[in-house]
Amino acid sequence: MPSAKILSEKQAYVAELKEKLAASVAGVIVDYKGINVADDTKMRKELREAGVEYAVVKNTMLRLALAGTELENMSSVLEGTTAIAISKEDRIAPARILCKYADAGKDKFNVKIGYIDGQVMDKAEVEAIAKLPGLEGMLSMFAGALTSTLSGLAVAMQAYVDKSSEEPAA
């Protein structure tokens, strides 16, 4: 049986992990075995730059942190090696970055499960979310759509003006 000090440290760790999960907008759980040190270092740097917190966690600790939350059914995948990436702001960054390395890992580094805004997503859904552009990409697509619509309207209005000025007055 663990000493009181160790037990209190573990309880504090679980409470901290539970707080991080509650404060996050998105997260992805991965099986990290098989990733080499160079790729792991690059991946962690990319995650940090995107504002995503990444940590290797013990399955038992994560299971305890998930207990009683809306993410509790994520516990079903907690086997083997486990790491979690948590984002407080960007909903797509954890999935996009981790799926990029999972694709390169060839069945060694795998996405297990994820969530966005409290909604649990299976591996296929996480991979689909990863293919979406980031917020800046979506905003630029929206701006492009608006610009093309407005320029089409301007062309149509100019054509109307040109046509009405060509007609003789009666």
Side-chain angles (χ1 to χ4, degrees):
M1 176 132 169
S3 71
K5 180 183 175 191
I6 293 173
L7 188 59
S8 68
E9 287 173 358
K10 286 182 178 182
Q11 288 171 339
Y13 176 75
V14 168
E16 180 185 345
L17 190 53
K18 191 172 237 173
E19 278 180 33
K20 287 179 183 179
L21 289 167
S24 67
V25 294
V28 176
I29 295 176
V30 294
D31 180 355
Y32 67 88
K33 73 174 179 278
I35 189 168
N36 63 40
V37 174
D39 285 345
D40 185 57
T41 303
K42 283 194 310 189
M43 179 187 69
R44 285 174 184 262
K45 181 178 186 273
E46 249 182 271
L47 288 165
R48 261 191 318 276
E49 289 171 352
V52 178
E53 185 177 337
Y54 178 81
V56 172
V57 293
K58 290 187 176 250
N59 291 326
T60 305
M61 298 295 154
L62 186 52
R63 192 173 283 115
L64 289 170
L66 292 170
T69 69
E70 56 193 2
L71 305 173
E72 187 168 16
N73 59 350
M74 289 175 55
S75 296
S76 62
V77 300
L78 298 180
E79 297 174 357
T81 59
T82 301
I84 187 166
I86 300 171
S87 176
K88 292 182 180 179
E89 295 174 10
D90 191 338
R91 288 166 173 77
I92 298 173
R96 182 177 32 83
I97 295 167
L98 293 176
C99 284
K100 179 173 84 171
Y101 285 90
D103 290 345
K106 299 180 180 64
D107 298 328
K108 292 180 182 178
F109 181 85
N110 290 310
V111 171
K112 292 182 180 182
I113 200 165
Y115 67 93
I116 291 181
D117 293 329
Q119 298 296 313
V120 177
M121 302 179 301
D122 64 17
K123 179 181 179 177
E125 291 171 316
V126 172
E127 290 170 344
I129 291 292
K131 293 176 183 162
L132 293 174
L135 180 62
E136 293 82 18
M138 286 185 177
L139 289 174
S140 69
M141 288 170 54
F142 180 67
L146 278 178
T147 303
S148 66
T149 303
L150 291 175
S151 64
L153 178 63
V155 167
M157 289 174 70
Q158 186 62 47
Y160 180 74
V161 168
D162 290 346
K163 183 176 180 183
S164 63
S165 65
E166 290 175 3
E167 293 178 4

